[in-house]
Amino acid sequence: MNELLNYFQNRQSEIIKSIHETVEIESPSSDVAGSKNIVDWFETQAKTIPCVANIERIFAENYGEHLIIRAFNQSQIANQKSQILLLGHTDTVHPRDTKLKNPTRIDGDKFYGCGIFDMKANAVLMLEILRAFSEFNLKPKNPITILLSCDEEIGSHSGREIVEREALKSEFCYVLEPSAHGKCKTGRKGTSNYTLKTHGLPAHAGLEPEKGASAILEISRQIPQIQDLSAAEIGTTVNICTINGGTASNVIPAEAECSIDVRFTKMSEAERIDAELKTLDSVDNRVKLELLGEINRPPMERTEAVIKLYEHAQNVADSMSYSFGETQVGGASDGNFVGALGIPLLDGLGIAGDNAHRLDEFIYVSDIAKRATLIAKLLSE
């Protein structure tokens, strides 16, 4: 344990340099060129690690490239029947040139940068752990597979199939999404995303407004009904997050739309909300309603297998006097897909930091070596 910690501490300047380089390669979701550039970087680095046995790039049209890195071949590992899956993503929520507003920098113990916390620093950490395995000639019981998807931040529409395929090959999974104040995540809510569109009739707002049917008025009538579908006492939330409509200040609006964000702890709640939304009727029958969207991610439940995996991780953390802990959160990740298949997993194992998806997101430099040691120890066992 101490040797691993010393190793990562001695490599910290190189790790920081790598994190800086990946953050500077902007790769917002659906930016195919940016996705290719960041995958180029990870592939180049992976090729320098002796235990890496295979690298696979999977192109996803309109999204970018998914990357799979497999470590340890059959001659090195006796148990090839199941793998350990390290899961993450290379896409970020920040548009191109956001780094001009938030330069990649270190201020005291805080390492700032666009997408550094969610989750480029943690993707770098995966490779550094494999490098440590080669350095110490460590061989885990199972082969290790790293999967970095390219569309996690926008729903994993192309990545879900790959995540589920690799999960079904796995004995268990560690998701290196951002940690919540240093804590891992043993439960996540599921998500559904919808868009409600209203199609009305345009008219001159001054001359003959009665000939119009307002799409905005109709959607404003629908919103309270939608919000009332929430059941906060059991963890179900339904929120209108964006709204758009109208064409000009003197025209009765013919078109409007709003986005609907749904979070739930049970699939039965997702199905209830889905059914209710599909039965919405317009108040003004001249306005037509159109509902788009679906249930996106199932909930990640805190099962007995998850608890067992967490307790083991907590014991390892305790042995190195490292503050760890667990939490359950409302945000979803690709870990939700893994958990729904019954594969034991821990999520939120990334480097401690804060402010995901914000211009001031950061990681703590002091946590890099400690978090790497914890995960390396878990993998080595």
Side-chain angles (χ1 to χ4, degrees), residues 157 160 191-195 260 262 264 274 278 291-297:
H157 300 292
R160 177 174 183 172
T191 60
S192 299
N193 302 107
Y194 300 93
T195 298
I260 306 168
V262 183
F264 47 88
D274 187 73
K278 288 176 178 176
L291 182 71
L292 306 174
E294 60 187 357
I295 300 170
N296 176 241
R297 286 186 170 96

Side-chain angles (χ1 to χ4, degrees), residues 189-192 194 226-239 260-274 276-277 299 330:
K189 289 185 179 181
T191 60
S192 299
Y194 300 93
I226 295 169
Q227 294 276 175
D228 285 347
L229 296 174
S230 293
E233 68 279 3
I234 57 173
T236 303
T237 60
V238 183
N239 289 292
I260 306 168
D261 179 279
V262 183
R263 308 280 167 149
F264 47 88
T265 58
K266 298 179 180 179
M267 278 301 294
S268 59
E269 279 295 280
E271 292 160 358
R272 176 182 70 85
I273 301 296
D274 187 73
E276 293 278 3
L277 290 175

Side-chain angles (χ1 to χ4, degrees), residues 30-302:
S30 300
D31 186 323
V32 176
S35 177
K36 179 183 182 300
N37 290 339
I38 194 65
V39 170
D40 284 344
W41 188 94
F42 277 103
E43 180 182 28
T44 298
Q45 293 299 313
K47 286 179 176 178
T48 68
I49 302 173
C51 69
V52 170
N54 179 262
I55 300 171
E56 179 183 4
R57 301 171 68 144
I58 303 172
F59 178 71
E61 189 172 2
N62 300 322
Y63 295 106
E65 293 189 23
H66 306 290
L67 179 66
I68 299 175
I69 300 169
R70 303 189 192 277
F72 302 101
N73 56 39
Q74 284 189 330
S75 64
Q76 295 172 302
I77 300 294
N79 180 11
Q80 288 288 321
K81 292 183 180 180
S82 62
Q83 63 187 12
I84 301 168
L85 180 61
L86 296 184
L87 188 57
H89 61 88
T90 56
D91 61 320
T92 75
V93 301
H94 303 286
R96 288 265 188 169
D97 297 327
T98 306
K99 66 181 181 181
L100 301 177
K101 302 176 183 177
N102 179 31
T104 310
R105 67 201 185 280
I106 294 177
D107 184 0
D109 192 32
K110 294 180 179 179
F111 192 175
Y112 292 91
C114 296
I116 192 169
F117 182 49
D118 189 12
M119 55 164 285
K120 286 187 172 176
N122 304 320
V124 169
L125 206 65
M126 296 183 195
L127 293 190
E128 287 297 327
I129 290 166
L130 291 186
R131 198 181 302 278
F133 270 65
S134 294
E135 179 72 20
F136 286 92
N137 197 29
L138 292 172
K139 294 181 176 61
K141 184 183 74 173
N142 305 65
I144 297 171
T145 294
I146 293 173
L147 169 56
L148 298 176
S149 65
C150 66
D151 63 347
E152 189 274 345
E153 294 288 8
I154 52 174
S156 300
H157 300 292
S158 71
R160 177 174 183 172
E161 180 183 358
I162 302 168
V163 170
E164 292 178 334
R165 183 191 73 199
E166 293 301 322
L168 288 171
K169 300 176 186 177
S170 306
E171 185 171 335
F172 53 87
C173 173
Y174 292 135
V175 187
L176 268 73
E177 285 278 358
S179 63
H181 306 290
K183 298 178 180 179
C184 76
K185 298 163 185 175
T186 53
R188 286 182 179 272
K189 289 185 179 181
T191 60
S192 299
N193 302 107
Y194 300 93
T195 298
L196 178 65
K197 296 188 175 185
T198 51
H199 306 284
L201 300 172
H204 194 293
L207 295 179
E208 42 191 12
E210 69 281 357
K211 290 187 177 181
S214 173
I216 288 179
L217 178 58
E218 181 63 42
I219 213 164
S220 70
R221 290 166 169 164
Q222 296 294 328
I223 287 174
Q225 299 181 62
I226 295 169
Q227 294 276 175
D228 285 347
L229 296 174
S230 293
E233 68 279 3
I234 57 173
T236 303
T237 60
V238 183
N239 289 292
I240 306 298
C241 293
T242 63
I243 185 166
N244 296 287
T247 55
S249 61
N250 61 351
V251 178
I252 301 298
E255 304 292 337
E257 66 177 55
C258 67
S259 66
I260 306 168
D261 179 279
V262 183
R263 308 280 167 149
F264 47 88
T265 58
K266 298 179 180 179
M267 278 301 294
S268 59
E269 279 295 280
E271 292 160 358
R272 176 182 70 85
I273 301 296
D274 187 73
E276 293 278 3
L277 290 175
K278 288 176 178 176
T279 60
L280 290 173
D281 288 323
S282 55
V283 177
D284 185 339
N285 59 20
R286 296 175 299 166
V287 181
K288 304 301 180 186
L289 304 186
E290 180 186 7
L291 182 71
L292 306 174
E294 60 187 357
I295 300 170
N296 176 241
R297 286 186 170 96
M300 182 188 123
E301 298 184 22
R302 188 178 182 269

